[in-house]
Amino acid sequence: KQLIHLGCPEEKLHHIKYGVDVNQFVPAEAKREQQFISCGRFVDKKSPQTTIEAFSKLLQKYPDTKLVMVGDGPLLADCAQLVESLGIVNNVDFKGVLSQDEIIPLLQVSTAFVQHSVKSKNNDSEGTPLSIIEAAMCGLPVISTNHAGIPEVIEHEFNGLLGDQNDTDAMTSNMIRLIENPGLVDKMGRSSRDRISKKYSLEQYIQQLTGILESCISG
């Protein structure tokens, strides 16, 4: 829609859903921990501060819950200061930059993936976050926002829970709901894996992209 608005002819646009390796990102049989995880750069459009603020409210009811945050970026120092000011240093684990092989085991034992994506002040926004697709492929429910391409991947009440941008209370409520309903976590996790396997596999992505390239070559 943005490209059309900027003047790109619609007939030149192709929407291809990129994918991930269904054999690499897999659920585990390990017991889930009372832990949420987020993976991504610490930048405005991912609003990591909002995730931390929502999580801190959760701790008032479930003080033993953990939040694992993977990644680096310009807002990391600010987020570390926020965690310290909220008095939740023992509950939030900043992992820094990790490889996929290091991230997958963390996904597999977490209750859910969390990311509070927003449109930033300079109008930067997400496309469809790859980290959300990877988490869903690992069988995690996703707690996020009705932003950009996220609702295409995560259907509210089916394989995750979505709230409005900048609605901290909604995110807190969604996290509490999953903590209190392990059966719902398992159900949404299975739905995530099934949905992503069918629509966002790497094999499908390569086939679609190859088809477009071949059609261009043939004229």
Side-chain angles (χ1 to χ4, degrees), residues 66-169:
K66 302 292 184 182
L67 172 62
V68 173
M69 304 192 80
V70 178
D72 198 355
L75 296 180
L76 177 57
D78 290 342
C79 288
Q81 290 179 0
L82 176 61
V83 166
E84 187 172 353
S85 68
L86 291 170
I88 57 174
V89 173
N90 293 331
N91 297 89
V92 181
D93 187 0
F94 294 103
K95 292 289 190 182
V97 177
L98 299 178
S99 68
Q100 285 186 336
D101 289 340
E102 292 171 315
I103 292 171
I104 290 172
L106 295 174
L107 291 171
Q108 291 171 332
V109 299
S110 296
T111 297
F113 184 91
V114 290
Q115 182 168 307
H116 197 100
S117 296
V118 300
K119 188 173 183 179
S120 68
K121 293 181 180 179
N122 64 353
N123 292 321
D124 191 14
S125 62
E126 300 276 12
T128 303
L130 180 60
S131 57
I132 284 180
I133 296 176
E134 292 173 343
M137 188 71 86
C138 281
L140 266 71
V142 173
I143 296 174
S144 192
T145 51
N146 287 300
H147 170 82
I150 294 173
E152 292 183 11
V153 181
I154 305 303
E155 182 181 342
H156 183 60
E157 297 287 352
F158 177 71
N159 64 331
L161 298 171
L162 302 178
D164 292 333
Q165 297 178 53
N166 300 308
D167 190 341
T168 310
D169 290 338

